[in-house]
Amino acid sequence: MKGLPICCFISRQHKHPSKRSEETMENPQLMSNSGCSENLNQAANIIVNHDFSNGLHSWHTNCCNGFVVSAECGGRGKPLSSSRSSGNYAVVTNRTKCWQGLEQDITSRVLPGSTYSVSACVGVSGPLSGSTDVLATLKLENHGSATSYMLIGKTSMSKEKWEIVEGTFLLLAVPERLVFYLEGPSPGVDLLIDSVVISCPSSSESESASIGAGDDNIIINPKFEDGLNNWSGRGCKVALHDSMADGKIVPQSGKAFASATERTQNWNGIQQEITGRVQRKLAYSVAAVVRIFGNNVTAATVQATLWVQTPGRNDQYVGIANVQATDKDWVQLQGKFLLNGSPSKVVIYLEGPPPGTDLLVNSLVVKHAEKTPPSPAPVIENPDFGVNIITNSQLDDSTNGWFPLGNCNLSVGSGSPHILPPMARASLGVHEPLSGRYIHVKNRTQTWMGPAQMITDKVKLFLTYQVSAWVRIGSGANGPQNVNVALGVDNQWVNGGQVEINDDRWHEIGGSFRIEKQPSKVMVYIQGPGAGVDLMVAGVQIFPVNREARFKYLRHQADKIRKRDIVLKFSGAGSSSLSGTNVKVVQTQNSFPIGSCMSRTNIDNEDFINFFVKNFNWAVFGNELKWYWTEPQQGNLNYKDADDMVALCQKHNIETRGHCIFWEVQATVQQWIQALNKDDLMKAVQNRLTDLLTRYKGKFKHYDVNNEMLHGSYYQDRLGKDIRANMFKTANQLDPSATLFVNDYHIEDGCDTRSCPERYIEHILDLQEQGAPVGGIGIQGHIDNPVGPVVCTALDKLGILGLPIWFTELDVSSINEHVRGEDLEVMLREAFAHPAVEGVMLWGFWELFMSRDNAHLVNAEGDVNETGKRFLALKHEWLSHARGQVDVQGQFNFRGFHGKYAVEIDTPSKKIVKTFVVDKGDTPLVVPVEL
């Protein structure tokens, strides 16, 4: 960004020409350029006083001086040419910086989505040896964000003649203030301006064009029709082709394609700078046609990436999208991106294949993304909630309706449970007993062999189905066995729930699924034990769940555990005469913590911050506190991003979770750490603990000490079993104020036997037995098609430990915003209604800044979607308000959620407002209100 001293922001009243001294009134020695003003297209010129016929009216100097002279007057020496359209030109003098020049505010005269042509006739005068550049520039200013600049055009100047600076620009959104200015000659050299024209050749069309149409590709030369103009190699060479491989590779469209060749790194590729053509807070769609060639590689990932430089910050790399490309055909890569801040430089590039493999590009299109219309609420006729879609589930007709998947044998046995599995019972309520018959599967030679049934015609789109079954395994198993209820949906595997079995008892499987695109075939089957192990299956139930009925139950549960009876007891002067006085109680904040994930780039977007501060009271950082972020190379510490985010949270009284000190999954561990020997690794671990917890002592309420220990064991494998407990002990010593959490995923959905509630409980108890001060249980909550009783069962099991439970990374995903909103409501209501849950953190809410697609509550450009509306309605529901009158005892009674309140009393003489807080408690809370 150009340096702007304070003087640039003070008043610039230069409406009248200033006088120059004889010393500075030097002959500019300009020769006519065949009347360069005649070449300027002045049609629909948006520049006011373009030829300086009215002095400097509407123009302002930028931290320098300026005046207008007549060409006929000239000065001493040879007169200026009078063949221009005007007899006047501007002189900008006393320039001490290259960027000082002449400017005009054009904010109100520029339309978004229109292309403007710029042409200015300019010259230079003064102590100049050789040549110098004159630049045409746009300055874009928005309140609360850094000023950005767009270079329009540049020309090289000498003292002999007038020259033309020309170029074009297009803005997809007009900033709060848009300034055009001319700048550039060396300090001490005067800038001369004869005339300026900025016009829109198709202004009538532009006025009616909609920015949302996204018709304007901001990539220059997108199909290489102009060779490699505006393209370059990123760490490699680029070449242009009309064909390759003896004519086997030709463009999919157009006449040419480009290759990134002599690549020695995965990030080498082809790039184009798009600085000035991409605007902050606008969503852009990206589409590229790509393939690979050479080095005996037949398939590789190709990725579109943004390299962003922001003033005062480190380089940022924004992954846009990737696709699996081959050497056989062109494929299309598609994605979206949004920039929160005001970048000083933006480059888009394609990368990814292994070194030595050429990356071929046929075209690249980057447009303002069209807004996706809201998805309609699905209409489901006769949902038949609670009705089992499995044929012959009671096996009254032997195995009719079932068939063996693979070369196994099915028969019917007796002796299975007569009651529904508990999770199904919680959804269905009173239900007829099971028959006690089960399918016995023998002669299993593959793990996937088992009983199967076609249910294609019975499954309805967008309905959430609960899966339930009793399962058991026969003898001969070698260790624990996973048993899984699976669905084959057009040859795609869908997990309906699974359980680990290590004995001869009957076990419950509970899970769920939903189908959102019309399938041609849906098959359910039960699989899992090793080859040769018999499988027994009973009481298979697959039924659509009635979420509204569950919500009604959860409202009642939440009323019991999240509310309290409150008695406002008025006292003081005049309280004896208050009987019948109107009272209004408003809850200003529910005390149940609801927070969200954020990233450093998000806080550059004021719209994001406004939504965050208004709707969340806790924050967690997506990456900025993780070890691979704060110390990517050994000794190279980066806490600036986290510091900025902590400061923001403190400013807005938002509590923070520290995620995470360590991450036990090896793929997340930096290479420099993995290269350390055992002793050095132990020192690095200790340094990490000391650096992080000392720096932020008292600032993070929670820490996830060692993330995902049920799914990884890197530190334990390298440093021994004691290291996990020691991490907790050391963290507690360094910051005793923080609650230390375990944190893992798939705890609540029945989909992963490694992290089932029983395994999690065993893991926590083991840590506690080693002296680890585990203070909280983190359930991440990355869940699909949640079913309340399945989630609640996991919470009930974990609740026996007596530790606070938090959903730490909650997100749900559905193409349909209404269904997604319903999924989110399921999870929030289950959490709010469970006594062991003490808070919920969403894993983001803003489109393009979440780890999963179709999971957002707010669209990229700030529109709250149907999911977000459901979230806001739920938050509103959890605020208690009451109206009434003071009784004869001078009291007002109501029942309300825990949290902060304001009470307003209208007395005959005045209106009184008092605040109070309602904490948890089993007895009525008496709140004295002194008048």
Side-chain angles (χ1 to χ4, degrees), residues 130-152:
S131 62
T132 189
D133 289 334
V134 173
L135 291 70
T137 308
L138 284 182
K139 179 166 60 174
L140 300 90
E141 299 178 354
N142 284 293
H143 178 71
S145 62
T147 300
S148 60
Y149 299 86
M150 178 189 296
L151 175 64
I152 301 171

Side-chain angles (χ1 to χ4, degrees), residues 672-684 714 718-719:
W672 72 262
I673 294 176
Q674 296 190 39
L676 299 175
N677 61 42
K678 182 177 180 180
D679 290 341
D680 289 340
L681 177 59
M682 184 65 81
K683 292 177 184 176
Y714 175 77
R718 292 287 311 277
L719 301 175

Side-chain angles (χ1 to χ4, degrees), residues 822-883:
E822 193 174 84
D823 282 354
L824 183 61
E825 183 172 354
V826 168
M827 295 303 294
L828 290 175
R829 287 196 184 277
E830 291 294 339
F832 194 66
H834 200 284
V837 178
E838 295 193 2
V840 174
M841 305 293 296
L842 303 187
W843 200 239
F845 60 91
W846 200 279
E847 185 185 14
L848 302 182
F849 295 93
M850 301 188 69
S851 59
R852 288 212 283 174
D853 292 334
N854 302 313
H856 54 283
L857 286 64
V858 180
N859 298 338
E861 294 179 3
D863 302 314
V864 178
N865 60 27
E866 293 299 327
T867 309
K869 292 175 184 176
R870 182 78 70 106
F871 169 74
L872 296 177
L874 200 56
K875 288 204 67 183
H876 180 75
E877 179 186 320
W878 291 339
L879 292 175
S880 299
H881 307 304
R883 290 175 179 268

Side-chain angles (χ1 to χ4, degrees), residues 645-654:
M645 298 167 77
V646 168
L648 177 83
C649 292
Q650 289 179 329
K651 175 183 176 182
H652 294 286
N653 297 315
I654 294 172

Side-chain angles (χ1 to χ4, degrees), residues 29 120 142-143 171 226 300 372 376 498 575 726 813 829 845 903:
Q29 296 180 352
N142 284 293
H143 178 71
L171 299 178
D226 191 17
T372 305
Q498 59 186 16
S575 60
N726 288 338
S813 176
R829 287 196 184 277
F845 60 91
V903 57

Side-chain angles (χ1 to χ4, degrees), residues 523-548:
M523 175 180 68
V524 60
Y525 58 104
I526 298 89
Q527 60 166 347
V533 179
D534 287 0
L535 172 63
M536 288 153 272
V537 182
V540 179
Q541 301 271 330
I542 297 181
F543 56 90
V545 292
N546 188 338
R547 286 174 156 179
E548 282 301 326

Side-chain angles (χ1 to χ4, degrees), residues 401-627:
W402 296 92
F403 61 89
L405 190 63
N407 298 320
C408 55
N409 298 324
L410 307 184
S411 60
V412 176
S414 297
S416 59
H418 286 268
I419 60 171
L420 281 175
M423 284 180 272
R425 202 158 62 242
S427 290
L428 297 173
V430 178
H431 198 274
E432 65 180 26
L434 299 180
S435 66
R437 290 184 286 271
Y438 63 87
I439 299 175
H440 194 159
V441 189
K442 300 180 180 179
N443 300 325
R444 301 177 61 258
T445 58
Q446 301 288 336
T447 58
W448 48 265
M449 291 183 178
Q453 189 170 131
M454 301 303 299
I455 57 173
T456 310
D457 298 332
K458 299 177 181 179
V459 176
K460 296 181 179 181
L461 297 185
F462 293 109
L463 264 182
T464 302
Y465 289 85
Q466 184 170 342
V467 177
S468 178
W470 288 112
V471 292
R472 181 182 170 188
I473 62 172
S475 59
N478 183 19
Q481 303 291 304
N482 284 340
V483 178
N484 168 232
V485 176
L487 293 103
V489 182
D490 288 341
N491 299 315
Q492 179 183 0
W493 178 77
V494 175
N495 191 347
Q498 59 186 16
V499 66
E500 184 180 87
I501 301 178
N502 196 23
D503 53 36
D504 60 355
R505 297 183 298 112
W506 287 95
H507 291 258
E508 175 187 19
I509 284 185
S512 63
F513 71 91
R514 181 173 57 236
I515 298 174
E516 298 189 1
K517 293 182 179 179
Q518 186 61 52
S520 59
K521 181 178 71 173
V522 182
M523 175 180 68
V524 60
Y525 58 104
I526 298 89
Q527 60 166 347
V533 179
D534 287 0
L535 172 63
M536 288 153 272
V537 182
V540 179
Q541 301 271 330
I542 297 181
F543 56 90
V545 292
N546 188 338
R547 286 174 156 179
E548 282 301 326
R550 178 73 180 178
F551 291 166
K552 183 178 180 180
Y553 164 78
L554 293 173
R555 288 187 187 98
H556 177 70
Q557 291 299 106
D559 186 274
K560 290 195 298 184
I561 70 167
R562 304 291 177 192
K563 280 186 175 182
R564 188 175 183 182
D565 290 325
I566 301 118
V567 179
L568 301 181
K569 193 173 184 64
F570 300 98
S571 61
S575 60
S576 58
S577 60
L578 280 180
S579 179
T581 301
N582 291 329
V583 177
K584 178 182 177 182
V585 178
V586 175
Q587 185 172 13
T588 56
Q589 184 177 2
N590 192 304
S591 62
F592 185 78
I594 298 181
S596 176
C597 171
M598 64 163 63
S599 70
R600 174 57 186 82
T601 60
N602 291 144
I603 71 176
D604 293 327
N605 186 333
E606 56 273 21
D607 297 334
F608 179 98
I609 293 303
N610 290 339
F611 188 94
F612 196 105
V613 170
K614 185 176 180 180
N615 296 292
F616 301 104
N617 51 20
W618 277 70
V620 63
F621 307 164
N623 285 304
E624 288 79 0
L625 210 67
K626 290 171 181 170
W627 197 2

